[in-house]
C-alpha cells in the first residue's frame, strides 16, 4: 500500500491551508490522503461523569471538524480517509498516527496567530518538528498561490546528510510534477563573517573561498540528480531572510539539522526560524542513514 499523506486539522483557517497543501501532495504522489483531527483522550483522574461529558463533547467537536474538511474536499481526486485520534496532544496524536500508517508526510497549517501570507509555526507544528519520523510540511497562512501554480521545487541545500536528504525528497516530488528543481545556498555578508580586525582583504578572501566551495558542492549535487532538471543559485545575506522571502517555488525543502537521531526530524536553528517566516510551504525532512 502506498504510504499516505496525513493532514492534521483543527477547524481553523490554518487547517484549510493544510488541506490545500495536503490534497496537492497526495494527488501528485499518487498517495491516499488521511485527514485527522486529534481530540483529548479520557483522563484517568477527576469526576467520571464530568470527564465523560467533556470527552463526548470533544468527540462531537472533532466530528464537526471532519465534516468541514469533507465539504472542502468534495472535488478531491485522491482517495481520502477521515480519522479521529484520541491523544494527550495534537502533535502526539499525529506522531502516533504517522508511525502506525508509515506516513509519507504530515501536513499542518500555520498557527492561528500568524500573519496572513507568512508561515508561523504554531505549537502543534513546533512539537511535530521535534522528532517526526517522516517529513513535516507546514502551509503558510493564506497562500497567495496554491502549490503547483509556480512550477518549481526549491531546496535549501548544504552538502551535509540533511541537505542530501532534502534534495532526494525534492527530486522525488519534482519527478512526479515535471517541475525543475532549484538549489539555494546562502553566503553571509562580509560584515557578518569575520571580525573587522582581520582586515578587509582577509574577509574577501574568505568569502571567495566559501563561494567557490559552495559552487563546487552545488555543481556536484546538480550533476548527481536523475529524473528532474536542476539548477542552483547562491544568495548573499542572512540565510533565513533570504530563504523566507522566496516566492517563486511551490514548496521549499530543507533538512532538519546536522546531528541527532537518524530518520527523525530534529529542528535546527535555521529550519526552526525558517518555518516561522517563509512565504511558501516548507517541508522539513529527517536525515536518512
Amino acid at each position: 500500500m502506498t504510504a499516505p499523506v496525513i493532514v492534521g486539522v483543527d477547524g481553523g483557517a490554518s487547517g484549510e491551508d493544510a488541506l490545500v497543501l495536503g490534497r496537492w501532495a497526495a494527488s501528485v504522489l499518487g498517495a491516499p490522503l488521511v485527514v485527522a483531527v486529534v481530540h483529548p483522550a479520557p483522563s484517568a483522574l477527576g469526576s467520571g461523569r464530568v470527564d465523560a461529558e467533556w470527552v463526548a463533547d470533544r468527540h462531537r467537536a472533532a466530528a464537526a471538524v471532519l465534516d468541514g474538511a469533507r465539504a472542502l474536499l468534495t472535488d478531491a481526486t485522491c482517495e481520502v480517509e477521515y480519522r479521529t485520534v484520541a491523544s494527550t496532544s495534537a502533535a502526539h496524536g499525529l506522531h502516533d498516527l504517522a508511525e502506525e500508517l508509515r506516513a509519507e508526510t504530515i501536513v499542518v497549517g500555520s498557527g492561528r496567530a500568524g500573519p496572513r501570507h507568512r508561515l508561523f509555526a504554531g505549537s502543534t507544528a513546533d512539537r511535530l518538528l521535534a522528532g517526526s519520523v517522516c517529513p513535516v510540511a507546514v502551509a503558510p497562512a493564506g497562500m497567495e498561490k496554491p502549490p503547483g501554480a509556480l512550477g518549481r521545487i526549491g531546496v535549501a541545500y548544504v552538502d551535509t546528510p540533511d541537505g542530501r536528504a532534502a534534495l532526494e525528497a525534492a527530486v522525488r516530488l519534482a519527478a512526479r510534477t515535471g517541475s525543475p528543481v532549484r538549489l539555494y545556498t546562502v553566503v553571509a555578508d562580509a560584515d557578518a563573517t569575520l571580525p573587522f580586525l582581520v582586515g578587509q582583504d582577509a574577509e574577501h578572501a574568505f568569502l571567495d573561498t566559501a563561494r567557490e566551495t559552495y559552487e563546487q558542492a552545488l555543481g556536484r549535487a546538480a550533476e548527481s540528480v536523475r529524473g528532474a532538471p536542476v539548477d542552483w543559485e547562491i544568495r548573499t545575506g542572512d540565510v533565513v531572510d533570504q530563504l523566507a522571502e522566496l516566492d517563486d517555488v511551490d514548496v521549499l525543502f530543507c533538512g532538519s539539522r546536522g546531528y541527532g537521531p537518524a530518520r527523525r526530524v530534529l529542528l535546527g536553528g535555521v529550519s526552526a526560524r525558517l518555518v516561522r517566516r517563509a512565504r511558501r510551504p516548507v517541508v522539513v525532512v529527517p536525515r536518512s542513514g
Side-chain angles (χ1 to χ4, degrees), residues 5 12 24 59 62 70-71 88 98 100 117 136 183-184 205 208 240 250 258:
V5 172
W24 175 75
H59 271 286
R70 286 188 183 92
T88 55
E100 174 192 341
H117 312 311
V136 177
L183 311 181
Y184 297 92
D208 288 345
V240 175
D250 287 316

Side-chain angles (χ1 to χ4, degrees), residues 83-283:
R83 288 208 184 192
T84 58
V85 179
S87 187
T88 55
S89 72
H92 193 176
L94 292 174
H95 271 308
D96 288 347
L97 184 61
E99 290 192 337
E100 174 192 341
L101 301 180
R102 300 181 181 274
E104 173 73 32
T105 304
I106 301 173
V107 182
V108 291
S110 62
R112 292 181 179 179
R116 290 185 63 79
H117 312 311
R118 279 293 189 275
L119 187 156
F120 184 92
S123 59
T124 297
D126 283 341
R127 293 174 183 177
L128 278 172
L129 288 165
S132 176
V133 296
C134 65
V136 177
V138 189
M143 283 183 287
E144 293 177 329
K145 295 181 180 179
L150 296 168
R152 176 181 291 136
I153 307 299
V155 182
Y157 186 78
V158 288
D159 190 18
T160 65
D162 288 61
R164 291 188 286 274
L167 175 57
E168 181 180 346
V171 169
R172 181 167 174 260
L173 180 65
R176 300 298 297 261
T177 64
S179 302
V181 175
R182 176 163 293 173
L183 311 181
Y184 297 92
T185 290
V186 181
V187 178
D189 289 318
D191 293 342
T193 53
L194 296 173
F196 71 92
L197 291 175
V198 304
Q200 195 173 56
D201 290 342
E203 285 184 0
H204 287 303
F206 174 83
L207 288 173
D208 288 345
T209 300
R211 181 177 289 273
E212 182 179 350
T213 300
Y214 291 143
E215 287 177 349
Q216 292 173 353
L218 288 165
R220 288 194 301 269
E223 291 174 0
S224 72
V225 171
R226 300 292 181 269
V230 181
D231 63 8
W232 50 267
E233 177 181 337
I234 294 180
R235 295 189 166 209
T236 302
D238 178 82
V239 60
V240 175
D241 288 345
Q242 292 295 319
L243 296 176
E245 288 302 315
L246 293 174
D247 61 1
D248 60 349
V249 295
D250 287 316
V251 294
L252 177 66
F253 285 79
C254 67
S256 50
R257 65 191 298 173
Y259 57 92
R263 300 193 183 280
R264 283 188 180 268
V265 166
L266 190 58
L267 208 59
V270 170
S271 49
R273 290 183 291 147
L274 180 60
V275 296
R276 290 172 172 82
R277 295 176 49 189
R279 296 171 63 93
R280 300 298 300 162
V282 173
V283 181

Side-chain angles (χ1 to χ4, degrees), residues 8-29:
V9 294
D10 63 0
S14 64
E16 296 181 15
D17 297 321
L19 286 170
V20 170
L21 179 58
R23 176 174 60 183
W24 175 75
S27 298
V28 167
L29 294 171

Side-chain angles (χ1 to χ4, degrees), residues 9 34-40 58-67 70 81-87 93-94 97 100:
V9 294
V34 176
V35 181
V37 59
V38 182
H39 63 82
R58 296 299 84 199
H59 271 286
R60 289 191 292 270
V65 170
L66 289 184
D67 286 343
R70 286 188 183 92
E81 178 184 352
Y82 299 88
R83 288 208 184 192
T84 58
V85 179
S87 187
L94 292 174
L97 184 61
E100 174 192 341

